[in-house]
Amino acid sequence: MKKMLLTGVLLALSGAGAVKVGVLLPLTGAGSVSGQAARNGYLLALDEINRSGGVLGQPLDLDFADDGSSPAKAVPEFVKLVTVDKVDFMAGGVSSATSIAISGPAKQYGTFMAWIGAAAVPVEDAFADHKYFFHYHPWSYYNFEAILDYFKYLKRSKGAKNIAIAYEDGPFGSAGINDTVALFKKAGFNVVMSEKFKTGSGNFGPLVSKAKAAKPDIFYWVGYDTDALPLATEIKQQNLDVGLIYGTPPSWPVGFEKNKLADNIAGLSLWLPSSPQAESRKFVAAYRKKFGNMTEEYFAPLAYVNLKTLAAAINRAGSTDKDKVAAELARTNTPTPFGPLTFSKSNKTQYQGFKAGNWLHFQFLGDSRVPVYPVKFAQKPMVWNK
Amino acid sequence: MELFLQTLLNGLLQSGLYALVASGLALAVGVVGIVNFAHGEFLMIGAFLAWGASVYLGVDPLLSLPLVAVAVFAVGALTYRVSIRHVLLAPELNQMLLTFGLGILLQNLALMLLGGNTRTVTTPYQGSSLRLGDLSVGGPKLIAFGLAAVILAGLYAVLYRTTLGRQMRAVAQNRRGSQLIGIDVDRVYLIAFGVSCGLAAVAGVLVATLLFASPTVGLVFALKAFAIIVMAGLGNLTGVLWASVVLGVSEALVQTYVPGGGGWSDAVFFLLIFATLVFRSFRGAR
């Protein structure tokens, strides 16, 4: 009896039986700003979940791993979480390249994945037949739908006609670039430049010279946070005469908004701390209380929503059975800082969360990100430099 | 024509930074005889020190440059004393493993202490430029180029006009012979390795001003520095200059004139290494 009691106490103390969620994030490398923001979102959600009784009567257990923003590192980290640490569910995932890399082992082990990032269509192709893949972040064609809508508005209101595109040569920037160019053309734009660059190289001189020769109205770049300041610097130094510089990195460099070179640069975000929605205000207050500051990176609330909805689904399912949890997660209908979250089919996957309608367009104005489009959400008029 | 001239200018300006990184590496290879795979990490230390001085002390990165150079010289000298000197007579593979391990150690220390975020500095001259007709020359790049030219000229003067420089060249040519005529070889190695690291740090300060600081920022430049010293000939300091110009201008031309050239820019230095090695072996065979 004593032995059984002791075993029970030891089990309880060791957390055995607790639901374990593995979280794979780029805590270092090119995607680290998003990864670090997401980590904070997960930690905040974990606090709230465990304060309100945990999952299946036990405190939820998170097991973080760093994919280093590198597919080569992501695969062993993912396999270790699934096979050695034996996590019940996998969450996280920011980069498309790392997500493609782990798609093989994920399907091999039938891993349940509640995934927050990876917007590139090849990721959608890779997970199209995976029945436990829940994708929260909009796919790139949803992002593009939102961008095209904004650019059409600029065409109507500012006469924007010529677009120069600069894109990083990994899957994030390159996948679907031909479709992007074709759709811009179909919408009546002239794509006057479409150039690749190496993310993190910082060498944008020739690219900006080419853009200058092409005389664009909009300079549109797809890359990572490491590219933002070198690109903005080069554009300023070469005096590129352009109506709008528009970038879509997953995150922006820390403190970028305070740099004068960031002024008037526009971008895309699922969320901004100034969002007036009740769920967003609650998130902002809780985040400030826990971390003493505020982030502008949408991966923080996205990770928060990701873990909260996964935990709620496990609780509703009453077990860690993947089919039951998938069925419950698929029924999610909850308010979030981004608006209501429900899952529906995308072009190829079964469970897609946020879509084109969730995107906001902002501009760096006066040291912060200010929503400028859709017009009904605009807090200041946008600045057009031409 | 304007695009062509601007492209040449872009490449030339970029080569100043490359020359600065590569000259430090050439010094380590030429004088100490060790291929320092941690060279990029000493650049990273310089970039972070400049960033720290800017953010926490409000000191302009360029003003912090002398102090950063001296600090990283000291780190380099200490690294030599603690680790490098013990493998100088060991097989080359052991030397490479040591410096490679050192690089990983420094990079991971930076990750632990500072995290993986990209850090940027703000300077009043960041977006400034000089206009030459329709051409423009970025202010920070021009400063970096000028500084690189001055530092390299200074290094050249030290090597060819001072006793220490003569000792360095003597040690580079013949270690044992130098010992026989009374040169303190260990001291020369320590200074050369320290200066090599200091030069990497100076380049790091410029990188922080032009781009950003991050634990992995050194890798890109270290790879290019390796390409340059291979092109120049291992340890050939004067050759570093033209090799840097060849690399910088080649990259710029490829980026501007080859379709999708931005994606090929990293292949340029591999191609140049390949071409150099083939050319050398061809010349050697004659």
Side-chain angles (χ1 to χ4, degrees):
Chain A
M1 183 65 188
K2 269 185 187 171
K3 200 174 171 183
M4 277 175 65
L5 192 66
L6 188 63
T7 308
V9 170
L10 284 174
L11 272 175
L13 285 175
S14 71
V19 175
K20 206 188 234 185
V21 176
V23 183
L24 186 68
L25 289 174
L27 298 173
T28 58
S32 64
V33 176
S34 308
Q36 300 277 355
R39 187 173 188 274
N40 282 357
Y42 281 120
L43 290 173
L44 181 60
L46 184 70
D47 274 4
E48 290 186 9
I49 291 162
N50 285 341
R51 255 204 319 271
S52 58
V55 173
L56 304 181
Q58 297 252 28
L60 182 65
D61 194 2
L62 281 192
D63 199 345
F64 284 101
D66 176 16
D67 66 27
S69 308
S70 151
K73 203 175 168 210
V75 174
E77 290 291 348
F78 179 86
V79 173
K80 179 181 171 285
L81 283 170
V82 174
T83 60
V84 179
D85 301 339
K86 295 193 185 304
V87 298
D88 300 290
F89 303 92
M90 276 298 300
V94 168
S95 142
S96 296
T98 57
S99 300
I100 290 170
I102 61 168
S103 63
K107 286 187 273 188
Q108 181 189 342
Y109 298 112
T111 311
F112 192 108
M113 297 174 71
W115 224 231
I116 54 168
V121 169
V123 182
E124 190 184 23
D125 293 334
F127 285 98
D129 55 349
H130 188 50
K131 64 176 183 172
Y132 303 123
F133 184 69
F134 285 78
H135 191 240
Y136 286 62
H137 194 285
W139 292 113
S140 57
Y141 47 83
Y142 295 126
N143 308 0
F144 184 72
E145 196 180 319
I147 292 165
L148 189 61
D149 179 48
Y150 181 40
F151 285 9
K152 279 179 179 170
Y153 163 75
L154 294 177
K155 195 171 154 214
R156 287 195 304 274
S157 59
K158 310 288 180 190
K161 186 89 176 158
N162 299 331
I163 302 175
I165 306 173
Y167 59 97
E168 67 94 30
D169 67 347
F172 175 62
S174 299
I177 193 72
N178 293 337
D179 293 339
T180 299
V181 171
L183 287 166
F184 274 138
K185 284 180 180 169
K186 197 177 162 195
F189 291 100
N190 301 321
V191 178
V192 292
M193 184 191 92
S194 172
E195 272 299 314
K196 279 183 193 176
F197 64 84
K198 280 271 170 211
T199 202
S201 71
N203 187 3
F204 289 106
L207 188 143
V208 173
S209 299
K210 256 177 129 165
K212 203 174 166 186
K215 302 188 189 322
D217 301 311
I218 300 170
F219 182 90
Y220 168 44
W221 67 275
V222 189
Y224 288 95
D225 63 298
T226 51
D227 308 313
L229 187 61
L231 190 55
T233 305
E234 197 65 54
I235 286 172
K236 177 80 177 169
Q237 285 175 356
Q238 291 202 33
N239 197 25
L240 177 66
D241 179 23
V242 69
L244 188 72
I245 302 164
Y246 189 90
T248 55
S251 51
W252 294 83
V254 176
F256 185 64
E257 63 280 357
K258 292 193 170 52
N259 194 310
K260 280 276 166 219
L261 295 172
D263 283 353
N264 306 339
I265 291 179
L268 192 66
S269 185
L270 276 178
W271 166 87
L272 290 168
S274 57
S275 171
Q277 298 185 56
E279 285 302 312
S280 177
R281 286 206 307 272
K282 266 161 60 183
F283 172 80
V284 169
Y287 191 98
R288 269 193 210 285
K289 193 175 170 195
K290 181 167 174 64
F291 298 107
N293 55 27
M294 197 54 234
T295 178
E296 293 203 307
E297 299 301 331
Y298 68 82
F299 272 97
L302 194 57
Y304 172 85
V305 168
N306 177 241
L307 192 63
K308 293 273 278 189
T309 50
L310 176 63
I314 301 168
N315 274 334
R316 287 199 304 271
S319 79
T320 55
D321 180 274
K322 285 189 279 191
D323 290 307
K324 287 181 183 167
V325 175
E328 287 301 332
L329 192 54
R331 278 187 209 114
T332 298
N333 187 350
T334 184
T336 75
F338 313 99
L341 171 67
T342 56
F343 288 96
S344 58
K345 283 186 180 173
S346 69
N347 279 356
K348 287 171 188 158
T349 53
Q350 193 69 22
Y351 307 113
Q352 174 59 38
F354 299 108
K355 293 187 175 174
N358 295 96
W359 286 112
L360 289 170
H361 305 268
F362 68 84
Q363 239 180 337
F364 287 101
L365 298 170
D367 292 358
S368 63
R369 300 175 200 191
V370 179
V372 291
Y373 189 82
V375 175
K376 63 179 174 180
F377 297 123
Q379 291 176 358
K380 279 185 188 172
M382 68 159 291
V383 177
W384 178 259
N385 281 323
K386 267 199 164 177
Chain B
M1 191 61 188
E2 183 197 326
L3 181 61
F4 179 70
L5 290 175
Q6 184 69 56
T7 301
L8 288 184
L9 207 52
N10 290 335
L12 195 64
L13 290 176
Q14 190 71 13
S15 68
L17 193 57
Y18 290 167
L20 203 52
V21 188
S23 59
L25 191 62
L27 200 65
V29 174
V31 177
V32 190
I34 191 158
V35 180
N36 182 14
F37 283 103
H39 195 69
E41 277 61 47
F42 287 102
L43 181 151
M44 175 266 293
I45 294 174
F48 269 122
L49 287 176
W51 167 80
S54 168
V55 171
Y56 295 111
L57 305 175
V59 179
D60 187 280
L62 293 181
L63 293 178
S64 71
L65 199 143
L67 272 179
V68 171
V70 171
V72 180
F73 169 86
V75 174
L78 184 69
T79 306
Y80 171 81
R81 186 65 82 195
V82 172
S83 62
I84 303 290
R85 69 186 296 214
H86 302 294
V87 298
L88 286 179
L89 298 177
E92 282 170 357
L93 183 65
N94 292 21
Q95 297 178 359
M96 287 182 195
L97 285 173
L98 173 73
T99 58
F100 194 66
L102 194 63
I104 293 173
L105 177 75
L106 290 174
Q107 205 179 101
N108 282 282
L109 275 175
L111 279 170
M112 276 170 55
L113 295 172
L114 300 154
N117 287 348
T118 304
R119 315 293 174 113
T120 59
V121 297
T122 301
T123 61
Y125 48 82
Q126 218 157 25
S128 65
S129 60
L130 189 71
R131 301 265 181 267
L132 302 168
D134 287 333
L135 306 178
S136 63
V137 185
K141 276 194 177 168
L142 193 61
I143 294 170
F145 186 82
L147 210 56
V150 169
I151 288 169
L152 289 175
L155 184 65
Y156 194 83
V158 167
L159 282 173
Y160 287 89
R161 299 275 182 274
T162 66
T163 306
L164 176 65
R166 284 189 199 100
Q167 288 177 348
M168 281 185 181
R169 287 188 293 132
V171 169
Q173 280 178 22
N174 191 326
R175 174 194 165 103
R176 193 172 292 265
S178 304
Q179 272 174 327
L180 287 172
I181 59 167
I183 295 175
D184 184 347
V185 172
D186 192 49
R187 179 176 155 273
V188 171
Y189 280 169
L190 181 137
I191 294 171
F193 194 80
V195 170
S196 162
C197 296
L199 284 171
V202 169
V205 173
L206 298 177
V207 166
T209 314
L210 291 166
L211 310 174
F212 51 85
S214 83
T216 52
V217 72
L219 183 67
V220 176
F221 292 96
L223 284 175
K224 306 225 162 146
F226 281 116
I228 289 165
I229 63 167
V230 169
M231 272 194 283
L234 291 183
N236 178 1
L237 257 178
T238 43
V240 160
L241 279 175
W242 67 258
S244 303
V245 172
V246 169
L247 179 64
V249 172
S250 305
E251 279 186 348
L253 289 171
V254 166
Q255 284 177 330
T256 305
Y257 293 107
V258 174
W264 288 104
S265 61
D266 270 9
V268 172
F269 70 91
F270 282 118
L271 192 68
L272 287 173
I273 289 175
F274 179 74
T276 307
L277 293 177
V278 169
F279 175 70
R280 288 235 167 87
S281 65
F282 176 71
R283 203 172 55 174
R286 278 198 307 172

